[in-house]
Amino acid sequence: MKHTISALVENKFGVLARVAGMFSGRGFNIETLNVGPVCGGKYSRITVTVSDGRNSVEQCVKQLNKLINVIDVKDFSEVGTFVARELVMIKVKAEGASARSEIVQVADLFRAKVIDVESASLIIECTGNPNKIKAFLEMIEPFGIIEMARTGNVALERGKKNSDY
């Protein structure tokens, strides 16, 4: 089972290393890791996706909550409903007007944006849930992917909640 875990932490030196070390030290492979500042840079939100095979993610979440500089930890598989999105940027071969036109049509189907145009390639950005990203990649792959960058999940719990960040 995949777990999406979000930790609100103080934006200080070494905190990311301690959080990542908590997972690797307990035998988890981090599938995606996304970190970004919130609240004017005083805090950061770390979003981690891991698979729970033989190890207990619940114990890892409890240990994360005990770390200094960690303010709040949520395992979204325990919370219920949440919204997760990721971003992918792809450089695609686009030689010829017909190939370029087809690529733009595929991008439009997925509400992706062409953000750079060169004579032999296009760079496209697409955001969405992991299933949408997977489907987009399957449709765009036959054109020839030159290069790709992918963020991994960012997630927030749905509904009203008294939280500052």
Side-chain angles (χ1 to χ4, degrees):
M1 177 178 175
K2 282 195 182 194
H3 291 263
T4 301
I5 298 164
S6 176
L8 183 66
V9 300
E10 293 178 11
N11 192 3
K12 292 188 176 177
F13 175 80
V15 175
L16 175 60
R18 286 193 297 279
V19 169
M22 180 70 68
F23 287 97
S24 64
R26 282 156 184 76
F28 290 100
N29 179 41
I30 295 175
E31 294 180 10
T32 68
L33 174 66
N34 194 304
V35 183
V38 296
C39 192
K42 184 177 178 183
Y43 301 105
S44 289
R45 182 165 307 278
I46 300 172
T47 307
V48 180
T49 305
V50 295
S51 288
D52 183 10
R54 55 180 165 67
N55 299 329
S56 172
V57 172
E58 182 180 310
Q59 184 63 30
C60 200
V61 168
K62 287 178 184 176
Q63 292 295 317
L64 282 174
N65 270 313
K66 292 179 182 179
L67 287 178
I68 297 173
N69 305 117
V70 174
I71 294 146
D72 185 39
V73 180
K74 289 181 185 149
D75 180 354
F76 287 119
S77 64
E78 302 294 322
V79 197
T81 59
F82 67 98
V83 177
R85 294 288 182 266
E86 64 179 289
L87 166 74
V88 65
M89 286 179 29
I90 304 171
K91 186 185 295 183
V92 184
K93 290 180 188 174
E95 296 173 357
S98 65
R100 187 177 309 277
S101 174
E102 286 182 55
I103 292 168
V104 170
Q105 284 179 338
V106 170
D108 287 344
L109 283 173
F110 287 89
R111 294 190 187 127
K113 297 176 188 170
V114 176
I115 57 173
D116 185 61
V117 178
E118 292 289 326
S119 60
S121 67
L122 297 171
I123 297 179
I124 303 167
E125 77 175 37
C126 183
T127 59
N129 66 42
N131 290 333
K132 177 183 174 181
I133 299 298
K134 180 182 176 190
F136 176 67
L137 291 174
E138 288 172 356
M139 292 293 292
I140 212 77
E141 192 173 21
F143 295 102
I145 296 174
I146 300 168
E147 196 173 0
M148 177 171 63
R150 194 169 176 175
T151 64
N153 279 339
V154 292
L156 291 174
E157 186 176 0
R158 293 190 70 200
K160 277 193 170 181
K161 184 104 176 166
N162 291 337
S163 178
D164 297 328
Y165 316 102

